[in-house]
Amino acid sequence: MSHTPHELAEEFPELTTQMAQLRQSDRHFENLADTYHTLNRAIHRAETDVEPTSDDHMSNMRKRRLALKDEIYAYLTAQTAG
C-alpha cells in the first residue's frame, strides 16, 4: 500500500507549489485538502479490502472525492486568476 492513487499532487502536478503555499497560508484550502486526503485514504482502504464497504458507500465516497477535487481545482484556478 505504498502508492495511493488520486493524491492531489498526482492529480494536479502543475499546481503542487501553489497547493503547498496555500496549505500554509489559507485555512479554507487546508481544510479542503485535508478532507480530500482523508476521503481518498478511506477509498483506497476500501478498494484494497483493508476496510471493505458496500458498493453504494463506495460509490458515494467516489462521488464526494470527485466533487472535492472539482472544488479544489476551481479554488486553485481562481487564486491564480485573481
Side-chain angles (χ1 to χ4, degrees):
M1 195 160 38
S2 62
H3 177 70
T4 303
H6 300 284
E7 292 293 337
L8 288 173
E10 294 172 356
E11 297 293 319
F12 310 122
E14 71 283 3
L15 299 172
T16 54
T17 301
Q18 182 182 358
M19 287 188 287
Q21 291 169 344
L22 283 173
R23 284 184 71 78
Q24 297 298 316
S25 64
D26 188 312
R27 186 64 144 199
H28 177 67
F29 182 80
E30 180 184 19
N31 288 334
L32 284 174
D34 287 347
T35 300
Y36 180 91
H37 179 75
T38 300
L39 181 58
N40 189 48
R41 293 291 175 167
I43 291 169
H44 183 68
R45 286 191 308 272
E47 288 174 339
T48 57
D49 289 328
V50 172
E51 294 179 16
T53 189
S54 70
D55 289 344
D56 285 343
H57 187 243
M58 178 68 84
S59 178
N60 288 335
M61 287 193 304
R62 286 178 175 155
K63 287 176 187 176
R64 176 69 179 134
R65 178 176 63 187
L66 183 58
L68 274 168
K69 187 167 68 171
D70 288 346
E71 185 176 354
I72 288 167
Y73 184 75
Y75 194 81
L76 289 167
T77 55
Q79 295 296 311
T80 303

